[in-house]
Amino acid sequence: MSTPIGSDIGRVDGRLKVTGAARYSADHPLDRVAHAHVVVSAISRGRVRSMNVDDARGAPGVLAVYTPFAAPRLYPVAHIMVENYAVLQDPQVRFRGQVIGVVVAETPEQARDAAALVTAEYDETPARTSLSAGLPGVPVFPLEEGAPVNPTVLAPGVASIDAALSASAVLVDAAFTQQPQSHVPIEPQNTTAVWQNDHLTVYSGCHVPPLFALMLATRVGVTPDRVRVISTFVGGGFGSKVPAWSDAALAAVAARELGRPVRLVLTREQSMILAGHRPLITQRVRLGADRDGTLNALSHDSAAEMSAVGGWPTAPAAQTSGVLYRTRNLAMDQRLVELDTPATRAMRAPDEAPGAFALETAMDELAVALGMDPVELRLRNEPTTVPVTGQAWTSRRMADCYRIGAERFGWADRNPVPGARVEGDWSIGVGMASAVYPAHATPTQVRMRMRDDGNVVVSASTPDLGTGTYTMVSIVASDALGVPIAQITPELGDSSLPLGGAAVGSRGTSMLAPAIQTAAQALITALTDLAVQTTGSPFQGRDPATLTYRQGRIEAGVDSASFAELLAMARMPAVEVTPPPPTPQAESLAANGFGAHFCEVRVNRFTGEIRVNRFTSVFDVGRVISARTARSQLVGGIVFGIGGALLEANPIEENGRFASGNLADYLVAVNADIPAIDVSWLDYSDTAFSSAGARGLGELGNVGSSAAVGNAVYNATGIRVRDLPITLDTLIG
Ligand code: MOS
């Protein structure tokens, strides 16, 4: 059998999905399920003085109405990254759109209609809703305790980053703003809660079922062993489905109170408010270089919205300016500004995508100031060690990404003079940018079970967000066991399964693939032991070392038996292993995914309309396991980046309200906005990273892709837009 690793295999769950057989969390049929609808605040800050719920209580089908004045008990979660208050436990309003009531009824329509009958009176106080009100904020706090927050590296004898910048021959100083972006996975936020014998089962599409279970247990006030979270299929997730938000807790306690299952599906607008958003971010990047393009100083500052109710501590510089280029002097000042806005939340490459937009735009400006090719500028400053830590990488072939990308794109044909290329009504321009994203190989666990029906079940709590995890797991297990893909049954997305890696931070493949290989080895050992111990087996009593395993069979000389035959002889339904996690990579090494984007745009000379003509990206991610779904992730990240550059924005108005609450107003890139995207990768195994050699790639395509678009717009027009999204009005003079 040739290895399926890296081949273009269709999604193993594709048929289930296209035939509607895949059950997403709100699809599970349950007896007597009641439906909940939330009532949200119409002010941004203050308190609810009174509420009138009489009409709602009397409406058809209504089973219960909960408000801050009459609600089941809930508890706060002490976790830095999630909203920090317990919903409905006090009349305080912390942001516009906060849940102030829940109506439960027999049908979703009855719950929604009754919720519309609830009225509230408020005592309003002024809310902080814009960044300028809160500057300069507080230094960002690290996700891992003890991590340096705002590291500074200065060459010997250099007094400060400002001194290093002033001493540079060429200086770029650029400020950037990007508006909040909303999480809009196809599947809106939803939870179905079922209690049985004081145990809670929850169906909710999420990133990390065990973490979700833990948070929900805390919110509800039960021990974690009593909560199971099932997340078999997820309708997309870009970070919003990591925490158990208030809606999940409300479904759980309502189900307990009413003694029947309760389903709470947030509307699209409620999902956009109540499940986090990419924050409002301002950045300033200063670059100082010698005349030959050698980077001498890099300063990267940021101030990001941080909701008073908690959220994601955005740190755009650390994993971009901290790892991309060699420089003698490096400093960052990343800050958070507290606002009375809905909780912020990580969104795909949450720090790296905004950080790379600023850094990679500034690098383009530096190339212009130097009169140097932007690719050449980057090659000149390609580092061999991480600037801040001095670590070497497991592997870094960024230079190949630049060279191969430039070749595939035809970069050599570019005209560096802005606005020089005109075709009819359109100005044509090209731009490039770098991509970088951390890779994680933290050891994790899977369970592997060979069954007497000839199938192998591979189990882990990690869900498939739609990214292709089922397919990846099947491929790795098929390769490691030499068993056809059709005989592998991946079982994913359930907090009761062995603790697989979290589906966050692009680590599904990087963590699961080596764990699957470890489990396969353990399984082969267990099967060999069984072969020599089983009465009637042709291998009985032999030295296990004389047996070989090949393609699902144990062999020695002329004797051969499939694992199904061995199990039958042993009268066992299965042999199963859950080995300890594999040894982690050498901690002295840094690991990142890398890439180079090249983009061509056309900008209408009269209307400012921007269209992307073509896009080429080359990535260094180590081994690609599943070509089909890897390509899909990388293309998806680039589409996300194009959308972020040109379309996606949900500004928070002065009154604390998001400008958009639906997909008609909140623009994401659609097919008509996206040209053919040429994605490729350097195909090799990063053996210093893990036994599987795969570093992961879910977020990488999103990093730098917005900057490549912006840099192309500059080349087309001579206009440098530093605020996202780039809108037509900024391009007509
Ligand atoms: Mo992702 S934004 O790491 O869930």
Side-chain angles (χ1 to χ4, degrees):
M1 200 182 96
S2 68
T3 177
I5 298 269
S7 61
D8 186 48
I9 288 164
R11 286 174 188 267
V12 298
D13 51 341
R15 176 172 290 271
L16 284 177
K17 287 187 171 175
V18 298
T19 57
R23 284 214 173 108
Y24 291 81
S25 55
D27 297 338
H28 290 270
L30 292 164
D31 274 347
R32 295 181 68 239
V33 62
H35 299 267
H37 198 93
V38 297
V39 179
V40 302
S41 73
I43 64 162
S44 293
R45 195 179 187 189
R47 55 188 290 281
V48 183
R49 191 186 324 135
S50 63
M51 291 176 74
N52 188 333
V53 298
D54 295 345
D55 289 352
R57 283 230 163 85
V62 170
L63 301 165
V65 181
Y66 303 118
T67 68
F69 308 104
R73 192 91 175 84
L74 284 166
Y75 304 86
V77 176
H79 193 291
I80 53 168
M81 282 186 287
V82 69
E83 54 182 3
N84 52 22
Y85 65 100
V87 66
L88 295 192
Q89 303 305 299
D90 61 54
Q92 199 185 330
V93 175
R94 297 156 174 89
F95 60 88
R96 182 175 291 252
Q98 177 191 306
V99 174
I100 57 164
V102 182
V103 176
V104 191
E106 294 290 347
T107 71
E109 294 80 7
Q110 288 171 336
R112 179 198 61 200
D113 291 355
L117 301 174
V118 174
T119 58
E121 313 233 344
Y122 305 92
D123 296 320
E124 202 170 347
T125 45
R128 300 159 296 172
T129 55
S130 75
L131 272 190
S132 52
L135 283 174
V138 299
V140 73
F141 53 81
L143 289 177
E144 284 164 38
E145 229 172 292
V149 174
N150 283 311
T152 299
V153 179
L154 294 174
V158 174
S160 68
I161 193 71
D162 289 336
L165 286 160
S166 327
S168 302
V170 180
L171 196 64
V172 164
D173 184 347
F176 305 86
T177 301
Q178 77 177 67
Q179 292 300 325
Q181 295 178 351
S182 292
H183 280 280
V184 287
I186 295 174
E187 178 194 29
Q189 201 71 17
N190 70 87
T191 304
T192 303
V194 188
W195 288 88
Q196 199 173 32
N197 300 332
D198 256 0
H199 284 73
L200 171 63
T201 301
V202 160
Y203 300 89
S204 192
C206 67
H207 293 257
V208 201
L211 177 67
F212 193 104
L214 195 65
M215 284 188 180
L216 189 56
T218 306
R219 287 198 190 284
V220 172
V222 298
T223 52
D225 58 304
R226 284 173 186 267
V227 180
R228 178 181 177 196
V229 173
I230 296 173
S231 194
T232 319
F233 290 100
V234 187
F238 306 104
S240 64
K241 296 171 180 173
V242 174
W245 299 96
S246 293
D247 62 297
L250 289 167
V253 289
R256 187 168 57 188
E257 291 249 323
L258 296 171
R260 55 192 281 192
V262 168
R263 177 165 293 156
L264 201 174
V265 181
L266 295 184
T267 64
R268 179 60 69 185
E269 180 166 17
Q270 291 164 355
S271 287
M272 289 161 88
I273 298 168
L274 294 168
H277 61 279
R278 200 199 287 275
L280 172 59
I281 304 167
T282 62
Q283 299 179 75
R284 180 185 186 196
V285 174
R286 289 176 295 164
L287 302 175
D290 299 341
R291 287 260 166 240
D292 68 355
T294 306
L295 212 51
N296 178 49
L298 197 177
S299 161
H300 192 157
D301 302 340
S302 65
E305 169 198 1
M306 182 69 179
S307 167
V309 298
W312 181 257
T314 305
Q319 293 299 329
T320 52
S321 291
V323 289
L324 261 176
Y325 302 112
R326 186 180 55 226
T327 178
R328 293 185 285 270
N329 303 284
L330 174 66
M332 43 191 88
D333 184 3
Q334 304 166 103
R335 290 174 172 266
L336 302 173
V337 180
E338 186 170 284
L339 296 181
D340 301 307
T341 49
T344 58
R345 177 63 215 153
M347 185 193 286
R348 200 175 201 173
D351 300 323
E352 300 77 7
F357 173 69
L359 174 63
E360 291 300 286
T361 304
M363 282 295 280
D364 201 64
E365 298 190 49
L366 181 60
V368 171
L370 290 162
M372 184 179 276
D373 184 325
V375 173
E376 181 53 35
L377 175 63
R378 285 167 174 83
L379 285 169
R380 190 156 296 190
N381 293 291
E382 178 65 9
T384 50
T385 55
V386 180
V388 171
T389 62
Q391 289 170 294
W393 277 278
T394 57
S395 173
R396 172 173 174 138
R397 301 191 185 174
M398 181 67 115
D400 290 339
C401 296
Y402 294 134
R403 290 197 192 100
I404 297 168
E407 179 67 32
R408 288 178 79 98
F409 183 79
W411 183 252
D413 298 338
R414 121 187 206 277
N415 188 333
V417 180
R421 218 180 119 193
V422 175
E423 290 175 14
D425 290 351
W426 301 85
S427 296
I428 316 291
V430 296
M432 59 83 52
S434 311
V436 67
Y437 191 83
H440 301 276
T442 323
T444 187
Q445 252 184 336
V446 302
R447 182 172 73 210
M448 209 176 255
R449 182 176 169 89
M450 274 181 164
R451 291 195 315 221
D452 59 358
D453 64 0
N455 284 302
V456 180
V457 185
V458 186
S459 310
S461 61
T462 317
D464 184 334
L465 301 175
T467 48
T469 313
Y470 281 111
T471 308
M472 180 277 295
V473 166
S474 300
I475 290 174
V476 177
S478 163
D479 170 72
L481 292 169
V483 167
I485 293 230
Q487 274 171 252
I488 306 289
T489 306
E491 183 185 42
L492 302 172
D494 185 334
S495 65
S496 68
L497 295 173
L499 193 60
V504 297
S506 305
R507 63 188 87 193
T509 300
S510 63
M511 290 172 64
L512 280 179
I516 292 166
Q517 293 179 329
T518 300
Q521 283 311 312
L523 191 63
I524 290 167
T525 303
L527 193 65
T528 310
D529 291 346
L530 183 71
V532 298
Q533 286 160 10
T534 298
T535 311
S537 148
F539 313 102
Q540 192 188 357
R542 293 202 206 172
D543 177 0
T546 64
L547 275 51
T548 52
Y549 171 91
R550 204 169 61 91
Q551 298 187 0
R553 306 184 70 85
I554 296 288
E555 298 173 344
V558 293
D559 295 317
S560 171
S562 72
F563 69 83
E565 288 161 357
L566 280 167
L567 288 167
M569 287 177 227
R571 296 169 191 276
M572 284 172 64
V575 18
E576 177 183 297
V577 294
T578 312
T583 324
Q585 66 175 118
E587 302 229 327
S588 58
L589 296 174
N592 287 88
F594 304 99
H597 300 291
F598 296 82
C599 171
E600 181 185 285
V601 299
R602 63 181 192 277
V603 179
N604 189 291
R605 295 192 289 136
F606 307 103
T607 66
E609 179 184 356
I610 310 157
R611 308 299 302 175
V612 178
N613 281 347
R614 55 197 183 96
F615 210 109
T616 292
S617 302
V618 177
F619 296 100
D620 166 15
V621 293
R623 180 66 83 215
V624 162
I625 305 282
S626 159
R628 179 87 51 103
T629 58
R631 183 178 305 280
S632 163
Q633 282 304 295
L634 292 167
V635 166
I638 293 164
V639 171
F640 220 118
I642 293 172
L646 302 177
L647 299 164
E648 285 201 46
N650 210 348
I652 295 168
E653 296 171 351
E654 212 176 312
N655 61 14
R657 182 185 171 279
F658 279 120
S660 314
N662 56 62
L663 284 167
D665 295 332
Y666 184 77
L667 303 179
V668 296
V670 298
N671 281 331
D673 299 309
I674 301 300
I677 294 178
D678 165 37
V679 156
S680 59
W681 46 81
L682 314 175
D683 202 8
Y684 73 101
S685 182
D686 184 352
T687 48
F689 179 72
S690 78
S691 61
R695 293 199 301 261
L697 47 76
E699 286 155 279
L700 185 59
N702 191 206
V703 183
S705 35
S706 295
V709 175
N711 294 342
V713 168
Y714 172 79
N715 182 243
T717 63
I719 299 171
R720 181 68 69 179
V721 183
R722 300 184 187 87
D723 301 333
L724 289 184
I726 301 169
T727 50
L728 281 56
D729 54 298
T730 55
L731 301 179
I732 34 184

